[in-house]
Amino acid sequence: MAGLIAPIVEAYGELRVNKGRIMLALIGVALSVFILTAVMGAGGMLGSALEQSVEKSAGRASVVGVNHMGGGDPELTADERDEIVLEQIDRLGIEHRTRVINTAVRAQTRQGVQTIELQGVDPGYADIYRVRPEAGRWIADSDQNRLAPAIVVNQPAYELLGRPAMGTEPITLYGQSGNQQAVQAVVIGVLPADPTTDWGPRAYTAAGSIDEMPGMDQPGAIIAEYRAWVPPEQAEAVSNRLTQVLADTPAGSFGAGQHSAPMEGFEVLQQALIAVALAILLLGAMGLVNISLVTVRYRVREIGIRRSYGATGGRIFFGVLMESVVATVVAGAIGVMGAVALVKAPFVTDYFRGIGLVDLPPFPVGAVVTGLLAATLVGVLAGALPAIIATRIKVIDAIRS
């Protein structure tokens, strides 16, 4: 252990003596590691933001969709049809699933009666499509039994309705034609503003209470689609199984398939960013090699004297090498800490939230490890050549110099 610690302590002492010569090179290494780590960390967050932005409209990467293909007993109610499909989905042990029923209602607003897009969904919709209310709460199973239907609205709908008090102030909803049918509903949640999905006023309500909405009591008015979020490796098997068991049911024929968008492009973006950062790190390493070579030439006499007192070639090699490694590891640690502080800064995270990030991921551990390993590798490469030159210095020539 002493044989390992002694060269490190010696290297630290030499760095204190020669800090003026190598400070600029170490600043370059620290800056390079900072850029490498920050690019990898920010690239990971950018990839997450783009991926989550797509998932908010298309669903997770392994969502299986089930749609009615036709046929079936016309006397079946919407609840009976849902029970047939959801029973088969639940038998597969799928935890995250939802119905999606698309319709529209008209709402009484300060500008008169306005049309609002309405979706009937289950609580699992929030996990599948990364929905997080900014105020209030999301739909729960208990909302199906409310006398006044509970709705969650996006920002355009909330502003259109006059920003009603959540949970207490009722709003009036009408069917798509006429004002004979009216329902008093209550806003229980508001979604954050999102320019990628806020194409118009939209509201969500519990799928189990969608028949309470005006105009939804007509035959065939409720046509549900079904979504199930499964592990990626099981998506194809689940899709095939649901297609098989739902091919011929009293509710008709159903087809299943993957419903979401592919995410392969984000990996290419990450690799391109890493390539740029590595090029920057290489430039920093070249500067450190030049400084290390100059430093060794200034220390020829010192190395010769140490050799004359019995220092072995291996000890000289390891000592010179460790000077470079210790310096770059310290510089790399400073660069990594600066990168983490920058990427996790509020103004940076707010920017990523603005382009679609919903769930803030932790700083990638891989970026931290890569930054420290890169700094160590640069130290080894930058110290190896000067260390080899130091071991080849002849004692008599060194003393004469």
Side-chain angles (χ1 to χ4, degrees):
M1 181 64 68
L4 177 63
I5 297 178
I8 296 177
V9 174
E10 182 181 338
Y12 175 71
E14 290 294 339
L15 289 173
R16 294 182 61 185
V17 174
N18 299 290
K19 60 183 179 181
R21 295 174 184 169
I22 64 173
M23 185 59 68
L24 290 177
L26 291 180
I27 291 175
V29 171
L31 182 61
S32 300
V33 172
F34 167 79
I35 295 174
L36 173 65
T37 308
V39 165
M40 292 186 65
M45 292 186 66
L46 176 61
S48 296
L50 296 175
E51 180 178 342
Q52 292 181 20
S53 178
V54 172
E55 289 175 347
K56 284 190 292 185
S57 57
R60 303 274 186 161
S62 54
V63 172
V64 174
V66 179
N67 298 305
H68 187 239
M69 307 300 290
D73 186 353
E75 300 298 323
L76 285 179
T77 65
D79 290 339
E80 292 171 334
R81 185 167 56 247
D82 290 344
E83 183 179 357
I84 292 173
V85 177
L86 295 179
E87 179 184 6
Q88 297 298 330
I89 294 177
D90 292 339
R91 282 184 178 181
L92 298 177
I94 298 173
E95 297 181 4
H96 304 282
R97 49 86 167 167
T98 182
R99 290 166 287 180
V100 179
I101 304 168
N102 295 298
T103 184
V105 294
R106 296 185 302 149
Q108 184 65 52
T109 71
R110 295 176 181 177
Q111 291 79 34
V113 178
Q114 301 287 334
T115 299
I116 295 179
E117 177 187 344
L118 179 66
Q119 282 190 326
V121 298
D122 292 314
Y125 183 94
D127 293 322
I128 297 175
Y129 289 90
R130 291 189 182 272
V131 178
R132 303 289 185 272
E134 182 180 56
R137 64 174 178 85
W138 180 245
I139 296 165
D141 288 326
S142 58
D143 291 325
Q144 301 183 47
N145 304 319
R146 296 174 63 114
L147 296 178
I151 62 173
V152 176
V153 297
N154 65 354
Q155 284 289 340
Y158 190 52
E159 297 294 337
L160 186 64
L161 294 172
R163 304 177 66 87
M166 283 181 288
T168 57
E169 184 178 348
I171 59 173
T172 304
L173 301 179
Y174 302 103
Q176 298 187 36
S177 62
N179 298 335
Q180 291 78 15
Q181 293 180 312
V183 170
Q184 298 293 309
V186 176
V187 175
I188 62 169
V190 180
L191 303 182
D194 186 352
T196 63
T197 58
D198 288 345
W199 302 316
R202 184 173 66 257
Y204 301 88
T205 190
S209 62
I210 192 75
D211 54 353
E212 301 293 332
M213 292 295 177
M216 298 301 293
D217 55 351
Q218 302 297 321
I222 301 177
I223 301 176
E225 301 174 2
Y226 309 88
R227 305 281 184 265
W229 177 25
V230 299
E233 64 275 8
Q234 299 179 13
E236 184 176 357
V238 169
S239 177
N240 293 337
R241 177 61 179 171
L242 290 176
T243 299
Q244 179 183 358
V245 299
L246 295 173
D248 186 15
T249 72
S253 175
F254 294 84
Q258 283 193 259
H259 186 72
S260 52
M263 304 291 179
E264 289 83 0
F266 303 131
E267 296 180 1
V268 177
L269 173 63
Q270 180 79 357
Q271 293 170 359
L273 293 175
I274 292 175
V276 173
L278 288 176
I280 296 172
L281 184 63
L282 180 61
L283 295 177
M286 292 174 61
L288 183 59
V289 169
N290 291 331
I291 296 296
S292 299
L293 288 173
V294 173
T295 301
V296 166
R297 293 188 181 278
Y298 273 101
R299 296 174 57 195
V300 168
R301 184 177 181 84
E302 171 200 338
I303 293 172
I305 293 173
R306 291 176 61 185
R307 291 291 299 273
S308 68
Y309 277 93
T312 63
R315 178 66 179 269
I316 296 295
F317 178 87
F318 194 62
V320 175
L321 180 66
M322 286 306 299
E323 291 176 20
S324 177
V325 172
V326 170
T328 55
V329 167
V330 173
I334 294 174
V336 166
M337 289 188 291
V340 173
L342 174 65
V343 174
K344 301 299 287 187
F347 71 92
V348 176
T349 57
D350 289 344
Y351 168 77
F352 284 117
R353 291 187 188 279
I355 61 174
L357 190 66
V358 179
D359 299 320
L360 185 66
F363 192 90
V365 176
V368 175
V369 174
T370 300
L372 293 176
L373 288 178
T376 304
L377 181 61
V378 167
V380 171
L381 295 177
L385 183 58
I388 292 173
I389 294 175
T391 59
R392 293 181 177 180
I393 296 175
K394 294 181 181 181
V395 176
I396 188 66
D397 293 338
I399 295 176
R400 285 176 179 174
S401 67

